[in-house]
Amino acid sequence: MKIYKILSVLLQYPEQELIDNLAEIKQWVSDTSEIDENERTLLQAYFQQMEAKSLIELQAEYVNTFDMNAEHSLHLTHHLFGDDKNRGPALIDLGELYKDYGVEVIESANELPDYLPLVLEFAAYLDGSESTVFLSDAKKVFGVLMDNLKKAASPYADLVSIIAGRASLARIEAA
């Protein structure tokens, strides 16, 4: 599902390429039937605040949000295990799941397999119900991350709230 690819891009360190492709992303968000109106509204508000800043400001905001505060870590198992030794097996299991699906993009990345943009890239490879089931395993973590970002008044909180909303098995039942 393309929404996961877009969320993945928006949750990565902002580069000029994102700015250069923002109009295309905004157009997709406006036109697609893949997202609901609440998601569309949240994304459009995110784009507005993003466009009000320079690339340097966006990059500084990203670093201050995700690199300087462990409570905002995009490494999902960190929220479950911290630096505990039990984190290792969870990372291995996730990496093996990616390999089982033949997802080479994940394998070649220089990030741990629980890095949220990589998790979203993987979810984009799955069909709708498969991606929902996959993400539902981390629903609690998405909630914690979203709450932490909201407390910090971070614009990234709305992006994580979209993911948290899509990580509900009730979505499958409603479909």
Side-chain angles (χ1 to χ4, degrees):
M1 299 185 77
K2 190 167 182 174
I3 184 61
Y4 297 124
K5 175 65 177 162
I6 287 172
L7 290 168
S8 172
V9 167
L10 295 175
L11 285 167
Q12 293 178 46
Y13 182 76
E15 300 279 0
Q16 185 62 46
E17 183 179 7
L18 172 60
I19 305 304
D20 294 344
N21 292 297
L22 192 57
E24 182 182 335
I25 293 169
K26 287 173 55 179
Q27 188 65 51
W28 183 86
V29 166
S30 292
D31 295 345
T32 188
S33 61
E34 187 177 314
I35 62 175
D36 64 32
E37 283 308 309
N38 181 57
E39 293 169 332
R40 190 177 330 279
T41 300
L42 291 173
L43 285 165
Q44 288 169 337
Y46 179 80
F47 297 144
Q48 282 183 333
Q49 69 79 32
M50 192 180 158
E51 290 174 317
K53 298 174 186 160
S54 70
L55 179 58
I56 285 282
E57 290 171 318
L58 292 171
Q59 291 170 333
E61 179 179 58
Y62 185 93
V63 168
N64 288 330
T65 301
F66 297 116
D67 296 342
M68 302 297 188
N69 190 332
E71 290 182 345
H72 302 160
S73 176
L74 292 176
H75 291 93
L76 301 179
T77 60
H78 173 79
H79 297 284
L80 296 172
F81 302 109
D83 291 328
D84 186 80
K85 65 180 180 178
N86 291 323
R87 185 175 179 204
L91 292 170
I92 291 169
D93 288 347
L94 188 55
E96 290 299 314
L97 178 66
Y98 295 156
K99 286 179 186 175
D100 289 347
Y101 276 83
V103 179
E104 296 177 28
V105 172
I106 304 296
E107 295 171 14
S108 66
N110 290 327
E111 279 291 348
L112 295 173
D114 68 334
Y115 180 58
L116 183 53
L118 291 179
V119 168
L120 293 169
E121 289 277 340
F122 180 68
Y125 283 103
L126 304 174
D127 72 30
S129 61
E130 266 188 318
S131 60
T132 301
V133 170
F134 170 69
L135 293 172
S136 72
D137 285 343
K139 184 169 179 59
K140 181 179 177 183
V141 175
F142 297 139
V144 168
L145 179 56
M146 178 184 64
D147 289 345
N148 292 343
L149 291 168
K150 281 184 179 180
K151 287 178 197 167
S154 171
Y156 291 103
D158 286 341
L159 301 180
V160 176
S161 75
I162 292 170
I163 300 163
R166 289 180 157 266
S168 172
L169 295 177
R171 286 183 71 90
I172 295 172
E173 294 167 9

